[in-house]
Amino acid sequence: MYAVADIDVDVCGSTKCRLCTQFCPESNTIQFDNARNSAYVSVDRCKGCEICVGVCDDLAKHHAIKMVPINEVQSGFELRLVGFKQSIAGLH
Ligand code: SF4
Ligand code: SF4
């Protein structure tokens, strides 16, 4: 089963550190949303490299990201629409 990064928005939102967004090798994949006060992952772009997990665990020390099978994503699927500025949250 393909695994993608999933963020605990309660833990992340209490920190606002944004560190993971600077290390993901895939553009526009893990970003910080000020409106929802949390980082989020566009699962259609995540390649499952786990770099963000190491950043959140070892550098930020917040432990807010886990790799999960794509069908078990808790924070909701986030798809980025090329050519549109909006994203779609909550698609399952
Ligand atoms: S590194 Fe962790 S706590 Fe910091 S923004 Fe990313 S998910 Fe949130
Ligand atoms: S697992 Fe890799 S590709 Fe996916 S969000 Fe984290 S750093 Fe980016």
Side-chain angles (χ1 to χ4, degrees):
M1 178 64 70
Y2 190 76
V4 295
D6 194 23
I7 295 173
D8 185 322
V9 296
D10 293 328
V11 175
C12 178
S14 67
T15 72
K16 303 178 183 175
C17 82
R18 303 170 186 244
L19 203 57
C20 59
T21 64
Q22 301 176 44
F23 287 89
C24 177
E26 301 296 329
S27 61
N28 302 324
T29 301
I30 187 165
Q31 301 180 85
F32 198 89
D33 185 337
N34 287 319
R36 286 177 290 180
N37 193 36
S38 174
Y40 67 94
V41 174
S42 297
V43 295
D44 57 324
R45 301 183 62 84
C46 177
K47 301 301 187 292
C49 70
E50 302 189 32
I51 289 174
C52 59
V53 177
V55 169
C56 192
D57 285 352
D58 300 333
L59 292 181
K61 312 286 188 191
H62 295 313
H63 309 283
I65 309 178
K66 289 183 171 52
M67 301 304 294
V68 299
I70 195 166
N71 61 330
E72 296 178 12
V73 171
Q74 298 296 311
S75 58
F77 282 84
E78 187 91 24
L79 303 180
R80 300 297 292 181
L81 302 180
V82 175
F84 292 84
K85 292 182 179 178
Q86 66 189 49
S87 60
I88 299 175
L91 294 179
H92 293 278

